[in-house]
Amino acid sequence: MQMRNQVEWVLHCCSLLAALPEGGRLSTKALADFHGVPKEYLSKALQSLSQAGLVEGSLGPSGGYRLAKPASEITFLDIVEAVEGKGRNFACTEIRRNNPCLQGHDPKGPCQVARIMWQADAAWRRELAAVKLSELTVTLERELPADLQERATTWVAARLGGSV
Amino acid sequence: MQMRNQVEWVLHCCSLLAALPEGGRLSTKALADFHGVPKEYLSKALQSLSQAGLVEGSLGPSGGYRLAKPASEITFLDIVEAVEGKGRNFACTEIRRNNPCLQGHDPKGPCQVARIMWQADAAWRRELAAVKLSELTVTLERELPADLQERATTWVAARLGGSV
DNA sequence: TCCATAAGGATATCTATTATCCGTAAATGC
DNA sequence: GCATTTACGGATAATAGATATCCTTATGGA
């Protein structure tokens, strides 16, 4: 049971978008180059983010993506669910109903096994919901050496779209 | 990102094994019939449990599986990890190293994205580790009508192996 | 001896993930 | 208006993983 590659990608992409100057945008191509991932497939993931209302795409030259709302209002859970879906990580297929000696019995509510597994799933989501995208930016600025941050800023600036 | 079918199966199987009388065993066939799942494939999952030291298989007629230790010493996490593996649900592929403008930089320790995702994974596992298999038995006895419990007991008794 | 069983290997089938390609529409600059 | 750049969506291919079955082997019990 493993999350998709795309989840890692978009988390890093959002991190980069969060650090963009006001009004700035980055194209799929720039984001793909920056992270060394295939552009076409990354595009699909970014479209998921767009549909979830987390980022906004714009067309034309100097188009690209930017966050649709402040990084402080976007959680890790938002991003993960945009790509991975909101479905639980445990699917109960109600095998208790297959039981040959319990036929005719119509159990109410989810079975205890499912309840426990869903409770753990909820704990996982709670943890992700507690982390804002903005926290990522703060940590990165604190941990990444200043000269590298500047190189990154320069790299991004050279590819920046939008009304900057 | 969804867990395997086998996880649901073995959780229910363990639940049944935990309710067995002292020394009793159930064969793969009985467990498969009880839950309405394919015997051959369930067998693979039970072998995983066996390798993890959670259940003990024995050969010959009147052979089958029983718990390898008291249900109070087996957690949901034990069972889930036996089938699903102990690997984290988020794999960090270190895409930050692909960054074209950060070449030559050798970051120490996991990146913040991975740390956050792993923290959520840990919360999920913590939740599962907190639930003992024995709790499942207790709940089942409390919630399942007495007559159905008896029918199940009879059904199981007719297929019971081991030294009963 | 004979049968039932766990265990493990080999293989087939199906589904989801990963990836690529192409067409469309919109925005920008000329 | 026209060419270019971009997001977006559909279609499809390639790969990996999950699901399932079959067969052989070794062992225990009658």
Side-chain angles (χ1 to χ4, degrees), chain B residues 31-79:
Chain B
L31 288 167
D33 288 348
F34 191 86
H35 295 111
V37 300
K39 179 192 143 205
E40 309 281 358
Y41 191 39
L42 174 65
S43 166
K44 300 294 183 188
L46 293 172
Q47 286 173 38
S48 300
L49 289 188
S50 177
Q51 285 168 351
L54 302 179
V55 302
E56 257 177 13
S58 76
L59 298 177
S62 87
Y65 289 100
R66 70 174 171 207
L67 295 184
K69 45 187 174 183
S72 59
E73 295 174 20
I74 297 179
T75 71
F76 262 57
L77 182 62
D78 293 329
I79 300 170

Side-chain angles (χ1 to χ4, degrees), chain A residues 24-116:
Chain A
R25 293 175 177 276
L26 274 184
S27 68
T28 304
K29 172 159 181 15
L31 289 167
D33 289 347
F34 191 86
H35 295 111
V37 300
K39 180 191 141 201
E40 308 282 356
Y41 190 40
L42 174 65
S43 167
K44 299 295 183 189
L46 293 171
Q47 285 174 39
S48 300
L49 289 188
S50 177
Q51 284 169 350
L54 303 179
V55 302
E56 255 177 14
S58 78
L59 298 176
S62 87
Y65 288 102
R66 70 175 171 206
L67 295 183
K69 46 188 173 182
S72 59
E73 294 174 20
I74 297 179
T75 70
F76 262 55
L77 182 62
D78 293 329
I79 300 171
V80 168
E81 284 189 340
V83 169
E84 198 68 35
K86 292 178 186 292
R88 296 187 173 110
N89 68 357
F90 178 84
C92 176
T93 65
E94 288 284 337
I95 63 173
R96 60 177 168 175
R97 289 180 190 276
N98 301 337
N99 193 315
C101 69
L102 263 53
Q103 291 305 333
H105 178 233
D106 186 27
K108 322 176 108 50
C111 76
Q112 181 66 0
V113 167
R115 271 181 280 170
I116 290 167

